[in-house]
């Protein structure tokens, strides 16, 4: 699994997650702090689903 901070204008705006599976399959999700939602993408890169979440300030996130 890969996890990276998403930065826009020097400010943390989300977290990118990527699960690496067999045969180069990748499933990704982005936690968007501004919209307070998680967006899920399929292995083909197409947006599949989104769901609202209660987002804590970036400094309080422990992964």
């Amino acid at each position: 699994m890969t996890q990276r901070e998403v930065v826009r204008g020097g400010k943390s705006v989300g977290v990118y997650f990527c699960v690496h599976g067999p045969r180069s399959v990748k499933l990704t999700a982005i936690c968007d702090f501004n919209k307070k939602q998680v967006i899920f993408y399929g292995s083909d890169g197409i947006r599949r689903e989104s769901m609202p979440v209660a987002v804590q300030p970036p400094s309080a996130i422990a992964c």
Side-chain angles (χ1 to χ4, degrees):
M1 183 172 139
T2 303
Q3 174 183 329
R4 300 196 189 269
E5 180 180 21
V6 179
V7 178
R8 182 180 298 146
K11 182 179 175 187
S12 179
V13 295
V15 180
Y16 167 84
F17 299 95
C18 181
V19 177
H20 305 271
R23 300 180 189 191
S24 299
V25 172
K26 294 180 183 178
L27 301 172
T28 58
I30 297 177
C31 179
D32 186 335
F33 298 147
N34 295 332
K35 295 182 181 178
K36 297 183 180 175
Q37 67 179 356
V38 177
I39 306 164
F40 298 96
Y41 296 88
S43 60
D44 53 4
I46 296 175
R47 184 178 177 163
R48 299 291 178 191
E49 186 177 346
S50 63
M51 62 185 310
V53 293
V55 178
Q56 297 176 353
S59 61
I61 294 177
C63 296

